[in-house]
Amino acid sequence: YRGLTLVLTFLCYTSYHLSRKPISIVKSQLHPNCSALGPNPHNDSNSSTWCSWAPFDGDNYNELFGALDNAFLVAYAIGMFISGIFGERLPLRYYLSGGMVLSGLFTALFGLGYFWNIHVLWYFIIMQTTGWPSVVTCVGNWFGKGKRGLIMGIWNSHTSVGNILGSLIAGVWVSSAWGLSFIVPGIIIAIMGIICFFFLVEYPEDVGCSPPLHHVRVTSNEKDPEAITSNEGPLNTSGQSSADRSDSPKEAAEEPEAISFLGALRIPGVVEFSLCLLFAKLVSYTFLYWLPLYIVNIAHFSAKEAGDLSTLFDVGGILGGIFAGLISDYAGGRATTCCVMLVIAAPMLFLYNHVGQNGIGTSIGMLIVCGALVNGPYALITTAVSADLGTHESLKGNAKALSTVTAIIDGTGSIGAALGPLLAGLISPTGWNNVFYMLIAADVLACLLLARVVVKEIR
């Protein structure tokens, strides 16, 4: 069942990112270089943008792309905070499945704008504003803290795998019928939502399995505060089940209440990691939404070639997530691992942009390294760190905090994810160098925000 849970939740969030990636691939097709396509067949239209898709055919197209990204990411950030609260109180299987089916529907509707010949910006914005806490909670319910960094580092590669598959699928139709670049991923995520509904097992107890150690709940036995509850019944300090002792009455374990939003904020480390993720995710999502367009502008590749090349950043992300989890398990310091990777990432971003300006082909290796250094801390915080804090010792065995903590951390990170692409859209007209300076500054801030936790870990 652990393997089933890992595979299902992996495929669920792979499909989420698969459906999220096409917009970055299609951007260059909504405002392509029309002069490269030959003479203008429409004499009554703008000579330089006759092949662009209105309303992205004006000089402010970068700002409109930024607004489009921001619409999705702001709604995502708001929804993330809310979804964590609901995730602790509703059946995760129903909640996750319903969200995936609706997400698939709205993704497909975005693509249908191509076939319906829609040129209204508000249509595309509304279709963009349509889980994460649910899948982390399911995995956290099944795995204890032993090798959680490595397990979740491997599992979190779903983000990069989804981005890669989304890029490749979108690239198939981007130059011919870009609407299919959204419709096909939309169908895939909806199908995965249906599969999740029928096969996902939320809790080990649902199938008669023992929960991991952090899910063992403290009983209300005032005479023996050391007693804990297992799946066989309350245990005393000697480990003997009271169900097997005729002279000891059974003590029913109290079902703990879901933690409040403010209660989750008081867990040590939640605020620091949340703010760190805000800036780390700002960098990651700027690459997610703008890297293909950057490659098109700098290297003058086609939209499909740029999309395929951008997948190397996600290949690096897979490696970075695994190494970050493995190192943090071995060293016993999640914050320290994140901080070291962020410190190295800042100069690598500068070098990648410098080399990229002089020939993108020579910077393929740097693209992979940047992906590893940027996505490693992001992956570690959103998975292993969230699960650690959601089962923190201060909760005294209450496992009803995992979804809320995950929502707070990733919801705060999603604010950065919304700011990054928006700032890139505003700054890119002044030059790509300025965009990279913004990303480097965000990396440095992410590192500084973890300083207190790093010092505590080292001590």
Side-chain angles (χ1 to χ4, degrees):
Y1 281 107
R2 283 185 173 184
L4 175 65
T5 301
L6 278 180
V7 170
L8 273 181
T9 52
F10 181 94
L11 293 176
C12 284
Y13 219 70
T14 294
S15 62
Y16 264 118
H17 270 265
L18 183 148
S19 66
R20 195 176 298 170
K21 182 67 176 179
I23 184 62
S24 66
I25 306 299
V26 172
K27 274 179 183 174
S28 59
Q29 197 63 26
L30 297 177
H31 190 96
N33 181 9
C34 297
S35 60
L37 301 178
N40 179 9
H42 311 292
N43 295 326
D44 58 341
S45 62
N46 190 304
S47 59
S48 61
T49 60
W50 60 267
C51 66
S52 299
W53 185 272
F56 307 103
D57 55 350
D59 293 334
N60 65 335
Y61 69 97
N62 271 342
E63 288 83 350
L64 294 183
F65 287 152
L68 197 61
D69 296 339
N70 199 58
F72 165 72
L73 292 167
V74 167
Y76 178 80
I78 296 171
M80 184 64 69
F81 288 112
I82 298 173
S83 67
I85 297 172
F86 284 111
E88 300 287 11
R89 295 162 175 83
L90 297 176
L92 294 178
R93 186 164 58 93
Y94 297 162
Y95 190 52
L96 183 59
S97 301
M100 293 177 73
V101 171
L102 287 175
S103 184
L105 172 64
F106 279 86
T107 301
L109 284 172
F110 191 102
L112 286 171
Y114 171 84
F115 297 100
W116 293 342
N117 203 29
I118 295 176
H119 297 276
V120 181
L121 179 65
W122 283 106
Y123 174 83
F124 296 104
I125 286 180
I126 292 172
M127 293 307 107
Q128 279 282 85
T129 54
T130 53
W132 175 243
S134 301
V135 291
V136 173
T137 300
C138 284
V139 175
N141 288 339
W142 281 92
F143 290 90
K145 295 184 179 181
K147 294 184 179 179
R148 179 180 281 165
L150 175 60
I151 291 171
M152 286 196 159
I154 297 172
W155 174 76
N156 192 68
S157 63
H158 55 55
T159 299
S160 297
V161 171
N163 290 341
I164 292 170
L165 291 176
S167 298
L168 297 177
I169 291 173
V172 173
W173 294 285
V174 65
S175 300
S176 56
W178 59 259
L180 290 173
S181 298
F182 292 92
I183 293 174
V184 173
I187 293 172
I188 292 173
I189 188 174
I191 291 173
M192 274 308 307
I194 295 171
I195 293 173
C196 171
F197 177 80
F198 285 108
F199 295 104
L200 183 65
V201 180
E202 299 174 30
Y203 300 100
E205 298 93 321
D206 293 343
V207 286
C209 298
S210 298
L213 181 61
H214 66 263
H215 278 269
V216 177
R217 294 195 297 267
V218 178
T219 69
S220 57
N221 188 347
E222 294 179 359
K223 295 181 180 179
D224 188 5
E226 299 268 331
I228 59 175
T229 301
S230 75
N231 58 323
E232 283 101 16
L235 298 178
N236 61 15
T237 53
S238 66
Q240 184 180 4
S241 173
S242 62
D244 299 330
R245 296 178 57 183
S246 58
D247 58 330
S248 298
K250 291 183 179 180
E251 291 286 350
E254 292 183 347
E255 183 68 21
E257 295 182 359
I259 195 170
S260 66
F261 187 88
L262 292 177
L265 284 177
R266 287 194 289 267
I267 298 174
V270 168
V271 173
E272 289 92 338
F273 278 108
S274 297
L275 293 175
C276 172
L277 186 62
L278 187 152
F279 291 102
K281 206 166 180 179
L282 183 153
V283 179
S284 180
Y285 268 65
T286 301
F287 271 94
L288 173 68
Y289 282 96
W290 286 91
L291 182 58
L293 188 62
Y294 170 78
I295 294 173
V296 168
N297 289 342
I298 296 300
H300 308 293
F301 285 8
S302 69
K304 186 179 187 307
E305 291 171 336
D308 292 344
L309 187 61
S310 69
T311 60
L312 293 176
F313 182 81
D314 294 299
V315 171
I318 295 174
L319 299 174
I322 294 173
F323 280 120
L326 181 62
I327 293 169
S328 67
D329 279 343
Y330 179 77
R334 310 282 197 214
T336 306
T337 303
C338 291
C339 201
V340 170
M341 296 185 79
L342 290 167
V343 167
I344 302 173
M348 285 304 302
L349 290 174
F350 177 81
L351 289 174
Y352 170 71
N353 180 51
H354 177 72
V355 174
Q357 298 276 7
N358 294 283
I360 196 73
T362 60
S363 62
I364 289 176
M366 287 189 180
L367 188 58
I368 296 175
V369 173
C370 286
L373 294 172
V374 167
N375 286 330
Y378 161 35
L380 187 62
I381 293 173
T382 55
T383 54
V385 170
S386 296
D388 288 347
L389 295 177
T391 54
H392 193 269
E393 59 186 8
S394 64
L395 296 171
K396 299 179 180 179
N398 182 0
K400 287 266 189 175
L402 190 50
S403 185
T404 303
V405 169
T406 302
I408 290 173
I409 292 176
D410 204 49
T412 306
S414 297
I415 296 173
L419 289 174
L422 177 64
L423 291 174
L426 297 174
I427 296 172
S428 58
T430 68
W432 286 103
N433 285 337
N434 294 331
V435 174
F436 275 85
Y437 293 148
M438 180 266 291
L439 297 179
I440 292 169
D443 251 334
V444 172
L445 286 171
C447 182
L448 292 176
L449 285 165
L450 282 183
R452 189 189 70 84
V453 185
V454 170
V455 171
K456 183 179 179 181
E457 285 183 352
I458 293 173
R459 285 179 176 175

